[in-house]
Amino acid sequence: MKKLIVIIFVFSIQFINAQDQESIRAKKFFERTYYSEAIILYQKLADEKPSQEVIKNLADSYYYTNDLVKAQRYYRLLINSYSNGLDREYYFRYAQTLKATNSYEDANKMLKEYFSKSANPEDISNFEKDIKTLENVTAIGKRFEIKNLPINTPNSEFGAVKYKDNLVFAGVKLKPGWFDKKYKWDNNTYLNLVSIPIKNIFSSDSIVHYFAKELKTGMHESNAVFTKDGKTMYFTRNNSKNGKKKKDDKKISNLQIFKAELVDGKWTNITSLPFNSPNYSVEHPALSADEKVLYFASDMPGSLGSFDIYSVNINKGAFDTPKNLGPEINTSKREQFPFASADHKLYFSSDGHLGYGLLDVFVSDINGNEYSKPVNIGLPLNSNLDDFAFNIDSETKEGYFASNREGGKGSDDIYQFKEIKDLIVEDCKQFIAGIITDVDTKLPLENATVILQDSDKKTLYTFTTPLDGKFNFTIACEASYKVSAFKEKYTNESKMITADKTRNAINDGSLALKSLEKIKLEEKENVEKKRKQELILEEENKKKEILAGIELKEKEKKAKQAEIVAAEIKKNEKVKQILEQEKDVVKDKDRLIIKTDPIYFDYNLWYIRKESKVVLGRVVELMNKYPGMVIEIGSHTDSRGNEKFNENLSQKRANSTREFIIQSGIDPKRVSAKGYGESVPIVKCKTDESCTEEEHELNRRSEFVIKNL
């Protein structure tokens, strides 16, 4: 067991030592810029023993070899997991990889993070201004027509310039030979200057030749530029002497600019320019139109970034001290591939100025020793990847540039272009246009005052309308404005308008004013109209009241009828009940009467006789039994005697009967008395003698008619 533990321990030490050795080797490759070899080792270390340095160097290795998708992956891991003490430069590189995958919103967020970590507080505000400027460039639209040249291969081609009838550019062999050296930065063979007749550049089967075999070495040669007479050229090559590469203390062979002269058809007198140094790179020469100034890129001491643009005056073949073009042109990042056009413009590529991708082409106006703020030259020449080695003929507006954008044939391709639209950079603007009219006549109003104010109520424009009443203001996008209109003897009107991001949109600011005279007239008409309406309403209300009264009476009538019917039904039910229960109550045609024995009165008298009181007692008994019963006492006489006398006598007898019933305890309201005299006989007697005494007796009677129950 102990032996096994020892074996495991020894193996672990060997494994750790192996990892340390790989880490040392990887770092050595990385520091010597052998990135393709460093990737192999760092990738393994990232999987087995990740650390901030491992992830950082692996991301950088992919970044420098243009594998930006993988670089993005490891920069994201670096920032998310190993950000403690991380240099802000890595936020910038991560943003560049995001642009390369068209993730512009995320890229801008990361750039904002990058600038927020700057010691210069103005960096954030300058960045936001640059975003605005780039939006304005984008708004121009397609500025160039571009064509990928058929001469491109899967390898790298760039730096195309015209030389006599040929196109000279830098390229590498499509199929390197066994003895061809490879550049360990990206594992490709070294660049050489090659050429092809311009007439053949669109022929896919054209043969490209070495531009000049006497210039070819086992090192990089690229970016040639020629004097107008074609007898002098400047180009970029690795630091060398007598055809042998020379390196600095870090074993890096920096780039230098060489000059060559055409003598007897061959390029000779190849000399390194005096401001070259083995300790830094000097590259990408470009001549001014008068050939008195040489522009180049360098990372020499005093540079603001990794590479800056410099200029050096040429005096009869001699070179002055190079000058850095300063912070207007150069940034803390890369500025390379300068080109000076005949119309005094300096073009160069930069990833320090805000662009669409990695290296974008920018332009600055040259005014003596001063340079205007560079502007991105726009789409579609600039892309989400590298765009560089730009040159243009100021008269024909045609030229060449290189790019490694998607859709190309290889690493870097040469594109021919033609500028079709001027670079006019304007802030986003819109318009407020309209007509001031009379609200009633719809006609335009002349001499109306129109005022435009911003959101702070500051007056921007004041305008007096012409005969057609029209006005037009230019405004900025993404802002709010107030349009107001005034005219003597008219009302004032205004409206708020908010502009969005749509460029050159026209917002309707039309306003309609109302005549004060018309308002007075309308007020008078309204008063009259109101009075008429009130009269009409009053009349309608009267009609409604009448109709309501009629309707109410009708309802009351119907209610009473309903009550009568209900009462009648109730009465009939009670009548039926009484008729069933009381034998003394009988129906006499349409009358309900209490049937009693006859009540007798002495002749011509009305006093209740003793025997009649017993009969009346039965009536009182029924009325006590039915508290709701109301009766009428009807007293009748025979036909004998005076009619008037009989009427009075019958009334007295009826009253006497009523009085007896009331005295028996019945409410007076329940008893009425009526003397009918001889008017309602049972037996009609033509003469007093025509009826018997019995018939007269029948006519002399008292009836108790039930009026209500």
Side-chain angles (χ1 to χ4, degrees), residues 324-339:
N324 188 299
L325 296 192
E328 195 68 57
I329 298 296
N330 296 311
T331 68
S332 61
K333 299 298 178 288
R334 287 188 298 162
E335 279 71 45
Q336 296 172 293
F337 301 97
F339 171 77

Side-chain angles (χ1 to χ4, degrees), residues 433-437 442-445 465 468-471 508-512:
I435 304 175
I436 307 301
T437 57
K442 312 300 181 187
L443 296 174
L445 291 178
T465 57
D468 60 7
K470 293 182 179 180
F471 67 93
D508 183 18
S510 298
L511 293 168

Side-chain angles (χ1 to χ4, degrees), residues 430-461:
Q430 292 187 0
F431 305 96
I432 297 178
I435 304 175
I436 307 301
T437 57
D438 185 302
V439 71
D440 296 298
T441 66
K442 312 300 181 187
L443 296 174
L445 291 178
E446 184 182 9
N447 293 325
T449 301
V450 186
I451 296 176
L452 181 70
Q453 293 178 310
D454 61 17
S455 57
D456 295 325
K457 298 183 179 180
K458 178 184 177 182
T459 298
L460 305 177
Y461 300 105

Side-chain angles (χ1 to χ4, degrees), residues 317-355:
F319 295 91
D320 291 346
T321 302
K323 295 180 181 178
N324 188 299
L325 296 192
E328 195 68 57
I329 298 296
N330 296 311
T331 68
S332 61
K333 299 298 178 288
R334 287 188 298 162
E335 279 71 45
Q336 296 172 293
F337 301 97
F339 171 77
S341 64
D343 56 349
H344 306 291
K345 295 181 185 296
L346 177 67
Y347 294 87
F348 62 95
S349 289
S350 170
D351 63 4
H353 296 286
L354 187 63

Side-chain angles (χ1 to χ4, degrees), residues 109-277:
K109 287 180 182 178
M110 200 52 54
L111 284 173
K112 195 167 185 178
E113 184 76 15
Y114 164 75
F115 286 117
S116 69
K117 297 178 182 296
S118 168
N120 184 357
E122 294 182 0
D123 279 355
I124 284 287
S125 60
N126 290 335
F127 169 64
E128 290 173 349
K129 289 176 184 177
D130 288 342
I131 289 178
K132 195 84 171 177
T133 300
L134 193 60
E135 287 177 355
N136 293 337
V137 172
T138 303
I140 300 172
K142 181 180 178 181
R143 290 196 62 236
F144 303 90
E145 291 177 345
I146 63 174
K147 296 177 183 178
N148 186 294
L149 296 182
I151 60 174
N152 290 310
T153 72
N155 294 327
S156 184
E157 292 84 23
F158 65 92
V161 294
K162 287 183 178 181
Y163 177 67
K164 297 181 180 179
D165 295 329
N166 295 303
L167 190 69
V168 179
F169 58 94
V172 298
K173 279 188 177 182
L174 184 60
K175 294 182 179 180
W178 287 100
F179 301 103
D180 288 319
K181 290 185 178 180
K182 290 186 177 181
Y183 182 38
K184 292 187 179 181
W185 179 297
D186 55 9
N187 221 24
N188 283 322
T189 57
Y190 283 82
L191 294 163
N192 292 291
L193 288 174
V194 295
S195 69
I196 188 174
I198 290 177
K199 64 181 181 179
N200 295 335
I201 62 174
F202 289 105
S203 299
S204 58
D205 58 351
S206 295
I207 298 175
V208 176
H209 299 279
Y210 287 118
F211 169 65
K213 290 185 178 180
E214 59 270 26
L215 296 177
K216 183 180 179 301
T217 65
M219 296 167 286
H220 286 303
E221 281 94 22
S222 66
N223 297 96
V225 61
F226 301 89
T227 56
K228 293 175 184 177
D229 61 10
K231 294 181 179 180
T232 303
M233 69 176 290
Y234 299 90
F235 64 98
T236 304
R237 174 187 281 173
N238 289 100
N239 177 19
S240 62
K241 187 173 183 180
N242 298 323
K244 291 185 178 181
K245 185 188 294 185
K246 299 186 69 177
K247 299 180 181 181
D248 62 10
D249 296 339
K250 296 180 180 179
K251 296 186 178 181
I252 294 174
S253 177
N254 288 301
L255 297 176
Q256 297 184 344
I257 296 177
F258 288 79
K259 176 182 176 182
E261 296 176 346
L262 187 64
V263 179
D264 296 329
K266 287 194 175 184
W267 293 98
T268 59
N269 301 328
I270 301 170
T271 57
S272 173
L273 297 190
F275 45 83
N276 287 327
S277 169

Side-chain angles (χ1 to χ4, degrees), residues 46 50-60 74 77-78 82:
S51 66
Q52 185 187 69
E53 181 178 304
V54 167
I55 301 302
K56 184 171 61 174
N57 290 353
L58 178 58
D60 282 345
Y74 287 103
L77 176 62
L78 179 66
Y82 302 95

Side-chain angles (χ1 to χ4, degrees), residues 37-95:
E37 295 185 22
I39 285 172
I40 298 171
L41 297 176
Y42 275 131
Q43 188 68 70
K44 185 178 179 182
L45 289 169
D47 295 336
E48 296 175 354
K49 190 180 179 182
S51 66
Q52 185 187 69
E53 181 178 304
V54 167
I55 301 302
K56 184 171 61 174
N57 290 353
L58 178 58
D60 282 345
S61 296
Y62 280 125
Y63 184 79
Y64 293 134
T65 54
N66 270 330
D67 192 341
L68 300 177
V69 173
K70 289 182 179 177
Q72 183 182 126
R73 172 188 172 189
Y74 287 103
Y75 282 137
R76 183 185 297 112
L77 176 62
L78 179 66
I79 288 171
N80 290 340
S81 303
Y82 302 95
S83 61
N84 188 27
L86 186 65
D87 192 295
R88 74 187 189 104
E89 175 66 23
Y90 290 92
Y91 291 87
F92 175 84
R93 293 178 191 171
Y94 181 35

